[in-house]
PDB file of all heavy atoms in Angstrom:
ATOM      1  N   ASN A1157     -87.721   2.356  58.314  1.00 98.00           N
ATOM      2  CA  ASN A1157     -86.384   2.203  57.772  1.00 98.00           C
ATOM      3  C   ASN A1157     -85.978   3.270  56.763  1.00 98.00           C
ATOM      4  O   ASN A1157     -85.508   2.964  55.675  1.00 98.00           O
ATOM      5  CB  ASN A1157     -86.186   0.775  57.212  1.00 98.00           C
ATOM      6  CG  ASN A1157     -86.110  -0.247  58.314  1.00 98.00           C
ATOM      7  OD1 ASN A1157     -85.944   0.086  59.478  1.00 98.00           O
ATOM      8  ND2 ASN A1157     -86.204  -1.483  57.953  1.00 98.00           N
ATOM      9  N   ILE A1158     -86.154   4.515  57.149  1.00 98.00           N
ATOM     10  CA  ILE A1158     -85.602   5.630  56.355  1.00 98.00           C
ATOM     11  C   ILE A1158     -84.077   5.466  56.387  1.00 98.00           C
ATOM     12  O   ILE A1158     -83.493   5.414  57.463  1.00 98.00           O
ATOM     13  CB  ILE A1158     -86.057   6.978  56.953  1.00 98.00           C
ATOM     14  CG1 ILE A1158     -87.571   7.082  56.970  1.00 98.00           C
ATOM     15  CG2 ILE A1158     -85.397   8.136  56.195  1.00 98.00           C
ATOM     16  CD1 ILE A1158     -88.092   8.242  57.829  1.00 98.00           C
ATOM     17  N   PRO A1159     -83.453   5.323  55.242  1.00 98.00           N
ATOM     18  CA  PRO A1159     -82.036   4.972  55.179  1.00 98.00           C
ATOM     19  C   PRO A1159     -81.125   5.822  56.094  1.00 98.00           C
ATOM     20  O   PRO A1159     -80.283   5.284  56.804  1.00 98.00           O
ATOM     21  CB  PRO A1159     -81.668   5.104  53.731  1.00 98.00           C
ATOM     22  CG  PRO A1159     -82.952   4.823  53.016  1.00 98.00           C
ATOM     23  CD  PRO A1159     -84.008   5.423  53.879  1.00 98.00           C
ATOM     24  N   GLU A1160     -81.282   7.143  56.051  1.00 98.00           N
ATOM     25  CA  GLU A1160     -80.372   7.947  56.869  1.00 98.00           C
ATOM     26  C   GLU A1160     -80.609   7.815  58.379  1.00 98.00           C
ATOM     27  O   GLU A1160     -79.706   7.955  59.185  1.00 98.00           O
ATOM     28  CB  GLU A1160     -80.419   9.438  56.460  1.00 98.00           C
ATOM     29  CG  GLU A1160     -81.751  10.108  56.685  1.00 98.00           C
ATOM     30  CD  GLU A1160     -82.682  10.103  55.466  1.00 98.00           C
ATOM     31  OE1 GLU A1160     -82.549   9.227  54.611  1.00 98.00           O
ATOM     32  OE2 GLU A1160     -83.562  10.961  55.449  1.00 98.00           O
ATOM     33  N   ILE A1161     -81.856   7.472  58.733  1.00 98.00           N
ATOM     34  CA  ILE A1161     -82.162   7.257  60.161  1.00 98.00           C
ATOM     35  C   ILE A1161     -81.560   5.919  60.605  1.00 98.00           C
ATOM     36  O   ILE A1161     -80.983   5.813  61.696  1.00 98.00           O
ATOM     37  CB  ILE A1161     -83.663   7.333  60.447  1.00 98.00           C
ATOM     38  CG1 ILE A1161     -84.259   8.624  59.952  1.00 98.00           C
ATOM     39  CG2 ILE A1161     -83.972   7.088  61.899  1.00 98.00           C
ATOM     40  CD1 ILE A1161     -83.618   9.873  60.507  1.00 98.00           C
ATOM     41  N   VAL A1162     -81.667   4.887  59.739  1.00 98.00           N
ATOM     42  CA  VAL A1162     -81.056   3.591  60.073  1.00 98.00           C
ATOM     43  C   VAL A1162     -79.564   3.798  60.284  1.00 98.00           C
ATOM     44  O   VAL A1162     -78.990   3.252  61.225  1.00 98.00           O
ATOM     45  CB  VAL A1162     -81.352   2.577  58.931  1.00 98.00           C
ATOM     46  CG1 VAL A1162     -80.534   1.298  59.163  1.00 98.00           C
ATOM     47  CG2 VAL A1162     -82.827   2.251  58.866  1.00 98.00           C
ATOM     48  N   GLU A1163     -78.930   4.552  59.419  1.00 98.00           N
ATOM     49  CA  GLU A1163     -77.463   4.788  59.539  1.00 98.00           C
ATOM     50  C   GLU A1163     -77.104   5.575  60.794  1.00 98.00           C
ATOM     51  O   GLU A1163     -76.057   5.334  61.404  1.00 98.00           O
ATOM     52  CB  GLU A1163     -76.913   5.421  58.267  1.00 98.00           C
ATOM     53  CG  GLU A1163     -76.911   4.498  57.064  1.00 98.00           C
ATOM     54  CD  GLU A1163     -76.317   3.127  57.390  1.00 98.00           C
ATOM     55  OE1 GLU A1163     -75.181   3.034  57.930  1.00 98.00           O
ATOM     56  OE2 GLU A1163     -76.969   2.082  57.075  1.00 98.00           O
ATOM     57  N   GLU A1164     -77.928   6.526  61.173  1.00 98.00           N
ATOM     58  CA  GLU A1164     -77.687   7.275  62.445  1.00 98.00           C
ATOM     59  C   GLU A1164     -77.684   6.310  63.618  1.00 98.00           C
ATOM     60  O   GLU A1164     -76.766   6.370  64.463  1.00 98.00           O
ATOM     61  CB  GLU A1164     -78.793   8.306  62.679  1.00 98.00           C
ATOM     62  CG  GLU A1164     -78.667   9.611  61.979  1.00 98.00           C
ATOM     63  CD  GLU A1164     -79.795  10.545  62.350  1.00 98.00           C
ATOM     64  OE1 GLU A1164     -80.157  10.663  63.562  1.00 98.00           O
ATOM     65  OE2 GLU A1164     -80.337  11.166  61.442  1.00 98.00           O
ATOM     66  N   VAL A1165     -78.686   5.460  63.668  1.00 98.00           N
ATOM     67  CA  VAL A1165     -78.821   4.519  64.790  1.00 98.00           C
ATOM     68  C   VAL A1165     -77.687   3.486  64.712  1.00 98.00           C
ATOM     69  O   VAL A1165     -77.082   3.175  65.751  1.00 98.00           O
ATOM     70  CB  VAL A1165     -80.197   3.856  64.798  1.00 98.00           C
ATOM     71  CG1 VAL A1165     -80.282   2.740  65.855  1.00 98.00           C
ATOM     72  CG2 VAL A1165     -81.288   4.884  65.019  1.00 98.00           C
ATOM     73  N   ARG A1166     -77.362   3.036  63.519  1.00 98.00           N
ATOM     74  CA  ARG A1166     -76.226   2.077  63.381  1.00 98.00           C
ATOM     75  C   ARG A1166     -74.939   2.656  63.939  1.00 98.00           C
ATOM     76  O   ARG A1166     -74.213   1.991  64.664  1.00 98.00           O
ATOM     77  CB  ARG A1166     -76.057   1.648  61.923  1.00 98.00           C
ATOM     78  CG  ARG A1166     -74.963   0.631  61.719  1.00 98.00           C
ATOM     79  CD  ARG A1166     -74.699   0.337  60.238  1.00 98.00           C
ATOM     80  NE  ARG A1166     -75.912   0.066  59.494  1.00 98.00           N
ATOM     81  CZ  ARG A1166     -76.578  -1.087  59.458  1.00 98.00           C
ATOM     82  NH1 ARG A1166     -76.103  -2.126  60.139  1.00 98.00           N
ATOM     83  NH2 ARG A1166     -77.682  -1.260  58.755  1.00 98.00           N
ATOM     84  N   ALA A1167     -74.631   3.899  63.625  1.00 98.00           N
ATOM     85  CA  ALA A1167     -73.422   4.542  64.085  1.00 98.00           C
ATOM     86  C   ALA A1167     -73.414   4.634  65.615  1.00 98.00           C
ATOM     87  O   ALA A1167     -72.374   4.394  66.244  1.00 98.00           O
ATOM     88  CB  ALA A1167     -73.261   5.898  63.440  1.00 98.00           C
ATOM     89  N   LEU A1168     -74.539   4.988  66.176  1.00 98.00           N
ATOM     90  CA  LEU A1168     -74.632   5.094  67.641  1.00 98.00           C
ATOM     91  C   LEU A1168     -74.488   3.716  68.308  1.00 98.00           C
ATOM     92  O   LEU A1168     -73.825   3.566  69.334  1.00 98.00           O
ATOM     93  CB  LEU A1168     -75.948   5.747  68.062  1.00 98.00           C
ATOM     94  CG  LEU A1168     -76.041   7.211  67.707  1.00 98.00           C
ATOM     95  CD1 LEU A1168     -77.473   7.709  67.854  1.00 98.00           C
ATOM     96  CD2 LEU A1168     -75.092   8.042  68.556  1.00 98.00           C
ATOM     97  N   PHE A1169     -75.098   2.688  67.681  1.00 98.00           N
ATOM     98  CA  PHE A1169     -74.971   1.339  68.193  1.00 98.00           C
ATOM     99  C   PHE A1169     -73.523   0.871  68.159  1.00 98.00           C
ATOM    100  O   PHE A1169     -73.013   0.309  69.134  1.00 98.00           O
ATOM    101  CB  PHE A1169     -75.869   0.387  67.403  1.00 98.00           C
ATOM    102  CG  PHE A1169     -75.674  -1.057  67.767  1.00 98.00           C
ATOM    103  CD1 PHE A1169     -76.215  -1.566  68.941  1.00 98.00           C
ATOM    104  CD2 PHE A1169     -74.964  -1.911  66.942  1.00 98.00           C
ATOM    105  CE1 PHE A1169     -76.012  -2.905  69.313  1.00 98.00           C
ATOM    106  CE2 PHE A1169     -74.768  -3.243  67.280  1.00 98.00           C
ATOM    107  CZ  PHE A1169     -75.299  -3.750  68.481  1.00 98.00           C
ATOM    108  N   GLU A1170     -72.825   1.133  67.055  1.00 98.00           N
ATOM    109  CA  GLU A1170     -71.411   0.711  66.929  1.00 98.00           C
ATOM    110  C   GLU A1170     -70.554   1.458  67.949  1.00 98.00           C
ATOM    111  O   GLU A1170     -69.622   0.875  68.503  1.00 98.00           O
ATOM    112  CB  GLU A1170     -70.930   0.947  65.490  1.00 98.00           C
ATOM    113  CG  GLU A1170     -71.648   0.105  64.444  1.00 98.00           C
ATOM    114  CD  GLU A1170     -71.479  -1.391  64.608  1.00 98.00           C
ATOM    115  OE1 GLU A1170     -70.651  -1.888  65.441  1.00 98.00           O
ATOM    116  OE2 GLU A1170     -72.197  -2.138  63.909  1.00 98.00           O
ATOM    117  N   ARG A1171     -70.842   2.694  68.166  1.00 98.00           N
ATOM    118  CA  ARG A1171     -70.130   3.492  69.189  1.00 98.00           C
ATOM    119  C   ARG A1171     -70.329   2.844  70.572  1.00 98.00           C
ATOM    120  O   ARG A1171     -69.369   2.700  71.362  1.00 98.00           O
ATOM    121  CB  ARG A1171     -70.608   4.928  69.160  1.00 98.00           C
ATOM    122  CG  ARG A1171     -69.953   5.828  70.145  1.00 98.00           C
ATOM    123  CD  ARG A1171     -70.463   7.268  69.949  1.00 98.00           C
ATOM    124  NE  ARG A1171     -69.813   8.175  70.866  1.00 98.00           N
ATOM    125  CZ  ARG A1171     -70.466   8.873  71.812  1.00 98.00           C
ATOM    126  NH1 ARG A1171     -71.770   8.803  71.928  1.00 98.00           N
ATOM    127  NH2 ARG A1171     -69.801   9.655  72.638  1.00 98.00           N
ATOM    128  N   TYR A1172     -71.542   2.449  70.892  1.00 96.00           N
ATOM    129  CA  TYR A1172     -71.848   1.805  72.131  1.00 96.00           C
ATOM    130  C   TYR A1172     -71.100   0.481  72.259  1.00 96.00           C
ATOM    131  O   TYR A1172     -70.510   0.181  73.295  1.00 96.00           O
ATOM    132  CB  TYR A1172     -73.376   1.592  72.234  1.00 96.00           C
ATOM    133  CG  TYR A1172     -73.788   0.753  73.420  1.00 96.00           C
ATOM    134  CD1 TYR A1172     -73.831   1.304  74.706  1.00 96.00           C
ATOM    135  CD2 TYR A1172     -74.117  -0.580  73.270  1.00 96.00           C
ATOM    136  CE1 TYR A1172     -74.213   0.544  75.778  1.00 96.00           C
ATOM    137  CE2 TYR A1172     -74.506  -1.367  74.327  1.00 96.00           C
ATOM    138  CZ  TYR A1172     -74.548  -0.793  75.591  1.00 96.00           C
ATOM    139  OH  TYR A1172     -74.915  -1.555  76.684  1.00 96.00           O
ATOM    140  N   GLU A1173     -71.120  -0.327  71.205  1.00 95.00           N
ATOM    141  CA  GLU A1173     -70.433  -1.634  71.246  1.00 95.00           C
ATOM    142  C   GLU A1173     -68.931  -1.463  71.511  1.00 95.00           C
ATOM    143  O   GLU A1173     -68.352  -2.219  72.269  1.00 95.00           O
ATOM    144  CB  GLU A1173     -70.690  -2.378  69.940  1.00 95.00           C
ATOM    145  CG  GLU A1173     -72.111  -2.879  69.787  1.00 95.00           C
ATOM    146  CD  GLU A1173     -72.440  -3.990  70.789  1.00 95.00           C
ATOM    147  OE1 GLU A1173     -71.843  -5.062  70.705  1.00 95.00           O
ATOM    148  OE2 GLU A1173     -73.292  -3.755  71.663  1.00 95.00           O
ATOM    149  N   GLN A1174     -68.329  -0.465  70.878  1.00 93.00           N
ATOM    150  CA  GLN A1174     -66.905  -0.202  71.099  1.00 93.00           C
ATOM    151  C   GLN A1174     -66.683   0.263  72.526  1.00 93.00           C
ATOM    152  O   GLN A1174     -65.678  -0.095  73.161  1.00 93.00           O
ATOM    153  CB  GLN A1174     -66.361   0.798  70.103  1.00 93.00           C
ATOM    154  CG  GLN A1174     -64.846   0.961  70.169  1.00 93.00           C
ATOM    155  CD  GLN A1174     -64.117  -0.355  69.870  1.00 93.00           C
ATOM    156  OE1 GLN A1174     -64.394  -1.033  68.898  1.00 93.00           O
ATOM    157  NE2 GLN A1174     -63.165  -0.733  70.736  1.00 93.00           N
ATOM    158  N   ALA A1175     -67.567   1.070  73.024  1.00 93.00           N
ATOM    159  CA  ALA A1175     -67.430   1.575  74.416  1.00 93.00           C
ATOM    160  C   ALA A1175     -67.523   0.429  75.438  1.00 93.00           C
ATOM    161  O   ALA A1175     -66.892   0.482  76.489  1.00 93.00           O
ATOM    162  CB  ALA A1175     -68.508   2.648  74.697  1.00 93.00           C
ATOM    163  N   LEU A1176     -68.308  -0.603  75.129  1.00 90.00           N
ATOM    164  CA  LEU A1176     -68.333  -1.792  76.015  1.00 90.00           C
ATOM    165  C   LEU A1176     -66.947  -2.439  76.069  1.00 90.00           C
ATOM    166  O   LEU A1176     -66.488  -2.792  77.150  1.00 90.00           O
ATOM    167  CB  LEU A1176     -69.351  -2.825  75.468  1.00 90.00           C
ATOM    168  CG  LEU A1176     -70.829  -2.519  75.711  1.00 90.00           C
ATOM    169  CD1 LEU A1176     -71.677  -3.511  74.966  1.00 90.00           C
ATOM    170  CD2 LEU A1176     -71.171  -2.503  77.187  1.00 90.00           C
ATOM    171  N   ILE A1177     -66.309  -2.587  74.938  1.00 89.00           N
ATOM    172  CA  ILE A1177     -64.967  -3.190  74.879  1.00 89.00           C
ATOM    173  C   ILE A1177     -63.960  -2.326  75.644  1.00 89.00           C
ATOM    174  O   ILE A1177     -63.144  -2.812  76.382  1.00 89.00           O
ATOM    175  CB  ILE A1177     -64.550  -3.422  73.433  1.00 89.00           C
ATOM    176  CG1 ILE A1177     -65.466  -4.464  72.779  1.00 89.00           C
ATOM    177  CG2 ILE A1177     -63.085  -3.857  73.356  1.00 89.00           C
ATOM    178  CD1 ILE A1177     -65.327  -4.553  71.275  1.00 89.00           C
ATOM    179  N   ASP A1178     -64.034  -1.007  75.374  1.00 90.00           N
ATOM    180  CA  ASP A1178     -63.084  -0.064  75.977  1.00 90.00           C
ATOM    181  C   ASP A1178     -63.407   0.311  77.413  1.00 90.00           C
ATOM    182  O   ASP A1178     -62.612   0.980  78.061  1.00 90.00           O
ATOM    183  CB  ASP A1178     -63.043   1.212  75.154  1.00 90.00           C
ATOM    184  CG  ASP A1178     -62.593   0.944  73.726  1.00 90.00           C
ATOM    185  OD1 ASP A1178     -61.966  -0.090  73.444  1.00 90.00           O
ATOM    186  OD2 ASP A1178     -62.867   1.813  72.847  1.00 90.00           O
ATOM    187  N   LYS A1179     -64.578  -0.105  77.905  1.00 91.00           N
ATOM    188  CA  LYS A1179     -65.104   0.327  79.205  1.00 91.00           C
ATOM    189  C   LYS A1179     -65.071   1.859  79.307  1.00 91.00           C
ATOM    190  O   LYS A1179     -64.595   2.449  80.257  1.00 91.00           O
ATOM    191  CB  LYS A1179     -64.371  -0.302  80.376  1.00 91.00           C
ATOM    192  CG  LYS A1179     -65.191  -0.073  81.674  1.00 91.00           C
ATOM    193  CD  LYS A1179     -64.545  -0.590  82.913  1.00 91.00           C
ATOM    194  CE  LYS A1179     -65.375  -0.201  84.118  1.00 91.00           C
ATOM    195  NZ  LYS A1179     -64.811  -0.683  85.347  1.00 91.00           N
ATOM    196  N   ASP A1180     -65.612   2.470  78.260  1.00 94.00           N
ATOM    197  CA  ASP A1180     -65.727   3.946  78.240  1.00 94.00           C
ATOM    198  C   ASP A1180     -67.069   4.287  78.882  1.00 94.00           C
ATOM    199  O   ASP A1180     -68.102   4.404  78.194  1.00 94.00           O
ATOM    200  CB  ASP A1180     -65.645   4.410  76.793  1.00 94.00           C
ATOM    201  CG  ASP A1180     -65.585   5.933  76.689  1.00 94.00           C
ATOM    202  OD1 ASP A1180     -66.072   6.620  77.599  1.00 94.00           O
ATOM    203  OD2 ASP A1180     -65.071   6.420  75.670  1.00 94.00           O
ATOM    204  N   VAL A1181     -67.052   4.473  80.179  1.00 96.00           N
ATOM    205  CA  VAL A1181     -68.280   4.707  80.941  1.00 96.00           C
ATOM    206  C   VAL A1181     -68.986   5.965  80.475  1.00 96.00           C
ATOM    207  O   VAL A1181     -70.223   6.018  80.431  1.00 96.00           O
ATOM    208  CB  VAL A1181     -67.996   4.711  82.461  1.00 96.00           C
ATOM    209  CG1 VAL A1181     -69.251   5.083  83.254  1.00 96.00           C
ATOM    210  CG2 VAL A1181     -67.469   3.365  82.891  1.00 96.00           C
ATOM    211  N   ASP A1182     -68.236   6.984  80.082  1.00 97.00           N
ATOM    212  CA  ASP A1182     -68.886   8.206  79.591  1.00 97.00           C
ATOM    213  C   ASP A1182     -69.727   7.968  78.373  1.00 97.00           C
ATOM    214  O   ASP A1182     -70.870   8.448  78.278  1.00 97.00           O
ATOM    215  CB  ASP A1182     -67.833   9.286  79.296  1.00 97.00           C
ATOM    216  CG  ASP A1182     -67.147   9.846  80.546  1.00 97.00           C
ATOM    217  OD1 ASP A1182     -67.736   9.694  81.650  1.00 97.00           O
ATOM    218  OD2 ASP A1182     -66.035  10.378  80.413  1.00 97.00           O
ATOM    219  N   VAL A1183     -69.209   7.200  77.432  1.00 98.00           N
ATOM    220  CA  VAL A1183     -69.996   6.867  76.217  1.00 98.00           C
ATOM    221  C   VAL A1183     -71.155   5.940  76.575  1.00 98.00           C
ATOM    222  O   VAL A1183     -72.260   6.157  76.086  1.00 98.00           O
ATOM    223  CB  VAL A1183     -69.107   6.262  75.118  1.00 98.00           C
ATOM    224  CG1 VAL A1183     -69.956   5.721  73.969  1.00 98.00           C
ATOM    225  CG2 VAL A1183     -68.108   7.307  74.617  1.00 98.00           C
ATOM    226  N   LEU A1184     -70.904   4.952  77.441  1.00 97.00           N
ATOM    227  CA  LEU A1184     -71.978   4.068  77.828  1.00 97.00           C
ATOM    228  C   LEU A1184     -73.110   4.820  78.497  1.00 97.00           C
ATOM    229  O   LEU A1184     -74.268   4.624  78.186  1.00 97.00           O
ATOM    230  CB  LEU A1184     -71.419   2.981  78.782  1.00 97.00           C
ATOM    231  CG  LEU A1184     -70.376   2.050  78.170  1.00 97.00           C
ATOM    232  CD1 LEU A1184     -69.766   1.150  79.245  1.00 97.00           C
ATOM    233  CD2 LEU A1184     -70.947   1.223  77.038  1.00 97.00           C
ATOM    234  N   ASP A1185     -72.752   5.724  79.387  1.00 98.00           N
ATOM    235  CA  ASP A1185     -73.768   6.540  80.058  1.00 98.00           C
ATOM    236  C   ASP A1185     -74.506   7.435  79.068  1.00 98.00           C
ATOM    237  O   ASP A1185     -75.714   7.613  79.154  1.00 98.00           O
ATOM    238  CB  ASP A1185     -73.149   7.417  81.167  1.00 98.00           C
ATOM    239  CG  ASP A1185     -72.868   6.641  82.459  1.00 98.00           C
ATOM    240  OD1 ASP A1185     -73.267   5.467  82.552  1.00 98.00           O
ATOM    241  OD2 ASP A1185     -72.178   7.233  83.318  1.00 98.00           O
ATOM    242  N   ALA A1186     -73.761   8.030  78.163  1.00 98.00           N
ATOM    243  CA  ALA A1186     -74.349   8.952  77.177  1.00 98.00           C
ATOM    244  C   ALA A1186     -75.326   8.238  76.249  1.00 98.00           C
ATOM    245  O   ALA A1186     -76.208   8.870  75.655  1.00 98.00           O
ATOM    246  CB  ALA A1186     -73.247   9.648  76.378  1.00 98.00           C
ATOM    247  N   THR A1187     -75.174   6.918  76.126  1.00 98.00           N
ATOM    248  CA  THR A1187     -76.047   6.150  75.247  1.00 98.00           C
ATOM    249  C   THR A1187     -77.443   5.960  75.846  1.00 98.00           C
ATOM    250  O   THR A1187     -78.420   5.900  75.116  1.00 98.00           O
ATOM    251  CB  THR A1187     -75.419   4.799  74.947  1.00 98.00           C
ATOM    252  OG1 THR A1187     -74.118   5.007  74.358  1.00 98.00           O
ATOM    253  CG2 THR A1187     -76.282   3.935  74.004  1.00 98.00           C
ATOM    254  N   PHE A1188     -77.526   5.880  77.160  1.00 98.00           N
ATOM    255  CA  PHE A1188     -78.764   5.577  77.806  1.00 98.00           C
ATOM    256  C   PHE A1188     -79.492   6.837  78.301  1.00 98.00           C
ATOM    257  O   PHE A1188     -78.839   7.827  78.686  1.00 98.00           O
ATOM    258  CB  PHE A1188     -78.546   4.625  78.998  1.00 98.00           C
ATOM    259  CG  PHE A1188     -78.398   3.188  78.549  1.00 98.00           C
ATOM    260  CD1 PHE A1188     -77.313   2.763  77.846  1.00 98.00           C
ATOM    261  CD2 PHE A1188     -79.419   2.277  78.845  1.00 98.00           C
ATOM    262  CE1 PHE A1188     -77.192   1.472  77.427  1.00 98.00           C
ATOM    263  CE2 PHE A1188     -79.305   0.956  78.430  1.00 98.00           C
ATOM    264  CZ  PHE A1188     -78.195   0.553  77.716  1.00 98.00           C
TER     265      PHE A1188
END
Side-chain angles (χ1 to χ4, degrees):
N1157 288 348
I1158 300 168
E1160 64 267 22
I1161 305 303
V1162 172
E1163 290 311 309
E1164 277 182 45
V1165 173
R1166 182 185 311 279
L1168 291 167
F1169 173 76
E1170 296 299 349
R1171 180 176 181 243
Y1172 172 77
E1173 289 292 295
Q1174 188 60 49
L1176 284 172
I1177 294 167
D1178 299 340
K1179 193 183 176 180
D1180 187 335
V1181 175
D1182 290 339
V1183 170
L1184 296 172
D1185 282 351
T1187 302
F1188 279 70

